[in-house]
Amino acid sequence: TLFRSNQHTSVTLEFFETVVRYDKFFTVEPQHMPHVLMAFLDQRGLRHPSPKVRSRTAYLFSRFVKSLNKQMSAFIEDILNRIQDLLELSPPENGFHALLSSDDQQFIFEAAGVLIVNSEYLPERKWLLMTKLLNPLLEKFKIVLEKLIDRKST
């Protein structure tokens, strides 16, 4: 077990800071990669109860992915599936607050883009993954745009 999710936030943050600082470890010991990725993606990281932990983890996850994306090829689609709901836009007027701020979401979008673009997938598969990632964003954009047009016309 790497660490529990109920530890103090400073312990959690230090864990992720250390993982990213010593990222080269995972090039020689890749068997530990799935455990660390799960820690980033579950309630210990991006879904942690503390907004401070979620925010810092989003940034650190982006750095981790940029550094080690070639070692993550076996996990790309699983990672993309696990972060999909974190990338949904939630306008403030609907009362629902997203787990991540828009700035934090930018780090996660960037990490997803790095994974897809640098993968060994064929261009067609990359296009499909990118489309799946961006379609919800584009759909929400259309809705917001329509609302703005309606407001302007009234």
Side-chain angles (χ1 to χ4, degrees):
T1 302
L2 292 171
F3 69 99
R4 297 183 319 270
S5 61
N6 61 353
Q7 292 184 354
H8 193 276
T9 56
S10 60
V11 174
T12 301
L13 289 172
E14 191 57 39
F15 169 79
F16 288 114
E17 295 281 351
T18 303
V19 163
V20 173
R21 184 176 307 124
Y22 298 105
D23 58 355
K24 300 304 179 230
F25 167 79
F26 298 97
T27 59
V28 293
E29 298 288 341
Q31 71 271 20
H32 299 290
M33 181 73 72
H35 304 293
V36 171
L37 286 172
M38 282 308 302
F40 270 112
L41 300 171
D42 67 17
Q43 73 281 357
R44 294 171 286 179
L46 294 172
R47 298 172 193 281
H48 195 278
S50 166
K52 178 181 174 183
V53 171
R54 290 192 306 263
S55 181
R56 186 67 182 160
T57 302
Y59 167 72
L60 292 171
F61 180 68
S62 176
R63 283 189 45 203
F64 190 68
V65 167
K66 285 183 202 173
S67 177
L68 295 171
N69 63 74
K70 294 297 182 195
Q71 284 76 23
M72 296 181 192
S73 59
F75 313 107
I76 292 174
E77 294 194 44
D78 188 38
I79 292 169
L80 295 175
N81 287 331
R82 291 176 187 273
I83 63 173
Q84 186 73 46
D85 66 314
L86 297 173
L87 299 174
E88 292 177 6
L89 295 180
S90 64
E93 69 266 6
N94 74 3
F96 173 76
H97 296 287
L99 279 175
L100 299 177
S101 71
S102 58
D103 288 340
D104 299 334
Q105 285 178 320
Q106 288 177 9
F107 289 122
I108 303 303
F109 270 116
E110 181 179 20
V114 166
L115 285 171
I116 293 169
V117 170
N118 293 323
S119 71
E120 295 177 2
Y121 291 132
L122 294 173
E124 297 80 17
R125 184 73 185 142
K126 289 180 182 183
W127 183 85
L128 283 172
L129 291 171
M130 198 64 83
T131 301
K132 182 180 176 188
L133 181 72
L134 296 176
N135 265 347
L137 180 68
L138 294 174
E139 291 302 317
K140 192 69 90 168
F141 179 76
K142 286 178 189 176
I143 292 168
V144 171
L145 184 61
E146 288 171 7
K147 285 181 182 179
L148 288 172
I149 291 170
D150 287 345
R151 283 186 191 163
K152 206 170 194 178
S153 65
T154 56

